[in-house]
Amino acid sequence: MSTTTATAKSVTSDKTGAPFRFAERAGRLKPSAIREILKTTEAPDVISFAGGLPAPELFPVEDFATACRDVLTAGAEGQAAMQYGVTEGFGPLRQWVCEHLAEAVNLRCTPDQLLITNGSQQGLDLIAKVLIDPGDVVLVEDPAYVGALKAFDAYEARAVGIPADELGVRTDALRHYLRTSATRPKLLYLIPNFQNPTGVSTSPERLREVAQIAAEYDLPILEDDPYGRLRYGGQAPPALASLPAAAGRTVYLGTTSKIMAPGMRVAWMVVPDRGLYEKLVPAKQAADLHTSTFTQRVVWRYASRPGMLDAHLRVLVDAYRRRRDVMLDALARHLPEGCSWTRPDGGLFLWVTLPERIDAVELLQAAMAQKVAFVPGQPFWVGEGVGNTLRLNFSNASEERIDEGVRRLGEVIRRA
Ligand SMILES: Cc1ncc(COP(=O)(O)O)c(C=O)c1O
């Protein structure tokens, strides 16, 4: 048997210069130009309002050290924490999440409806993996969370933006789309609480209307709620997934990232439909077998200690409320006429609209020269991009640096 020419073809490079020939869908995976600019924001002399980072000095490091020690020294638990686990997630953690959701957002579920994921980002990916065929429509608020847009885009979804205002997603526009469009969307993706990027919450009336419309049009909903527990004013509404009209058709995503620590990568999805759950489990299995058994147990040890998480949330809410107030006050003092911004009741972000002639991507270059950073609004927009918008994070910098950063930003805008 001759083997002399058998491999000649497979080692030939194509025009990428490498032996790797990308799948067609990889054409959609592109580095972001804005992320490249923002890489430099990690320098200590830059005041960054760019990332969605919690305050590192408030991480419950000591309590997690105790939880780690408890996991590793409790006899067989230490060994189990180092062993493979089930894809669905660690049972006691799923039980705790059910109790937590019933209390916090009035969402009743059972552990067998819960899938523990590697961050809620994985929940977004898994839903897209299981539901989206190329060209399928996903409805999103416009502007929308970039990470979700990227997850949907990787499976070749067509995102359609539904406009939003200060009360959240516009139900008249949603109804109009569903009434007039020939295509039936696969999903409606919403962040009802303190949306990323705008900080706006969808009002309880709008949520009820969304549930009603979804029931009328048989539309599945993906409710993403990483920020709901970071509330600095007003009443917490029940989860959209808990409203009778939405209950059987809404997948709910929650996460430890903003209430404990994003480095844990522990999150959950509540899946009301058994058929969908039974697709999501093998989809996750193919991705990573399961979320780290060790971190799931550490999170459970931490979260199930009576009063522990509530006490931590009080610390976070107090500190972030002050930082939000400092930012709002600084914006009022330092931003020139013609600028406006949202006043969120919680979460980590607010959204600034600049005078129309100013382009926020160009402004970022000038701001970086003054060592202050933000995220231009452009990547969040789905429909007609609005170039004169930007997102500011208020959780990561200290109160003094927030004031100084906004002062610099005001100067840069005035010059522009
Ligand atoms: C709206 C939204 N969904 C999901 C995520 C991802 O969160 P996680 O850290 O749980 O993957 C983020 C992160 O910032 C977010 O803002």
Side-chain angles (χ1 to χ4, degrees):
M1 188 173 71
S2 163
T3 56
T4 45
T5 58
T7 56
K9 252 200 154 138
S10 62
V11 296
T12 306
S13 301
D14 68 8
K15 63 179 186 293
T16 65
F20 304 104
R21 290 172 301 130
F22 294 126
E24 213 167 293
R25 65 179 171 281
R28 307 167 86 93
L29 304 173
K30 293 191 182 110
S32 138
I34 290 168
R35 263 191 188 276
E36 291 305 306
I37 303 174
L38 289 172
K39 269 186 185 162
T40 51
T41 61
E42 280 153 31
D45 58 340
V46 174
I47 300 177
S48 178
F49 303 133
L53 305 182
E57 69 279 12
L58 301 180
F59 286 143
V61 174
E62 287 302 314
D63 293 325
F64 265 79
T66 306
C68 287
R69 205 170 37 248
D70 289 351
V71 167
L72 292 174
T73 55
E77 189 176 347
Q79 290 165 6
M82 295 194 162
Q83 188 57 280
Y84 283 114
V86 295
T87 305
E88 291 84 344
F90 178 48
L93 176 63
R94 288 153 73 200
Q95 180 63 45
W96 174 82
V97 173
C98 289
E99 290 158 17
H100 172 77
L101 292 177
E103 194 189 311
V105 292
N106 196 35
L107 179 55
R108 316 266 149 196
C109 60
T110 53
D112 63 356
Q113 295 175 314
L114 251 150
L115 180 59
I116 301 293
T117 56
N118 205 36
S120 45
Q121 191 63 36
Q122 184 179 46
L124 295 168
D125 178 77
L126 293 178
I127 280 286
K129 190 176 186 179
V130 163
L131 294 185
I132 304 297
D133 283 320
D136 278 349
V137 168
V138 177
L139 301 179
V140 302
E141 293 155 279
D142 205 9
Y145 167 53
V146 180
L149 295 177
K150 284 192 182 292
F152 302 147
D153 190 57
Y155 295 96
E156 303 175 54
R158 187 160 70 82
V160 172
I162 304 293
D165 59 21
E166 69 286 353
L167 297 176
V169 68
R170 271 187 34 211
T171 40
D172 59 337
L174 175 63
R175 192 181 279 286
H176 177 78
Y177 179 87
L178 291 166
R179 198 186 303 127
T180 56
S181 167
T183 44
R184 186 170 162 216
K186 275 279 172 78
L187 206 57
L188 167 65
Y189 170 69
L190 289 181
I191 308 169
N193 293 312
F194 323 124
Q195 198 239 16
N196 182 0
T198 62
V200 168
S201 296
T202 303
S203 73
E205 295 71 34
R206 289 263 176 99
L207 286 180
R208 278 196 293 277
E209 280 169 36
V210 167
Q212 197 52 48
I213 294 169
E216 264 172 58
Y217 287 88
D218 201 14
L219 176 66
I221 301 171
L222 180 56
E223 177 179 16
D224 191 4
D225 189 23
Y227 305 110
R229 302 238 40 209
L230 299 177
R231 170 173 288 279
Y232 320 133
Q235 278 283 319
L240 176 56
S242 75
L243 304 182
R249 62 181 63 260
T250 305
V251 173
Y252 175 94
L253 303 181
T255 177
T256 61
S257 287
K258 305 303 188 318
I259 56 173
M260 296 180 208
M264 291 296 124
R265 311 308 301 135
V266 172
W268 43 86
M269 57 199 308
V270 182
V271 187
D273 180 82
R274 198 70 211 156
L276 177 59
Y277 190 87
E278 286 173 1
K279 294 288 181 200
L280 291 165
V281 172
K284 177 168 168 66
Q285 223 158 50
D288 63 2
L289 300 184
H290 60 77
T291 299
S292 156
T293 37
F294 177 67
T295 51
Q296 287 189 72
R297 282 170 189 265
V298 170
V299 164
W300 171 68
R301 282 266 173 185
Y302 171 82
S304 60
R305 288 251 298 268
M308 182 67 90
L309 179 60
D310 283 343
H312 180 58
L313 281 170
R314 281 195 292 276
V315 172
L316 291 184
V317 164
D318 263 14
Y320 292 164
R321 181 192 288 119
R322 278 202 308 275
R323 290 180 192 197
R324 176 205 59 177
D325 289 345
V326 167
M327 184 169 272
L328 287 173
D329 180 59
L331 289 167
R333 279 184 293 116
H334 298 304
L335 259 52
E337 193 113 334
C339 299
S340 61
W341 49 89
T342 58
R343 290 171 177 73
D345 274 336
L348 306 186
F349 306 109
L350 56 79
W351 182 250
V352 176
T353 304
L354 303 165
E356 246 170 55
R357 63 190 176 281
I358 300 180
D359 179 85
V361 177
E362 283 168 24
L363 190 77
L364 177 61
Q365 308 274 5
M368 289 301 294
Q370 300 307 313
K371 304 212 176 289
V372 61
F374 55 82
V375 183
Q378 181 222 317
F380 300 100
W381 290 103
V382 178
E384 283 287 289
V386 180
N388 59 324
T389 50
L390 58 92
R391 190 191 74 178
L392 297 180
N393 162 271
F394 54 77
S395 60
N396 188 244
S398 68
E399 292 173 36
E400 299 71 41
R401 281 168 67 89
I402 289 174
D403 190 64
E404 171 57 19
V406 174
R407 189 192 65 73
R408 290 184 206 173
L409 183 64
E411 256 176 39
V412 173
I413 296 173
R414 209 165 272 122
R415 265 185 250 140

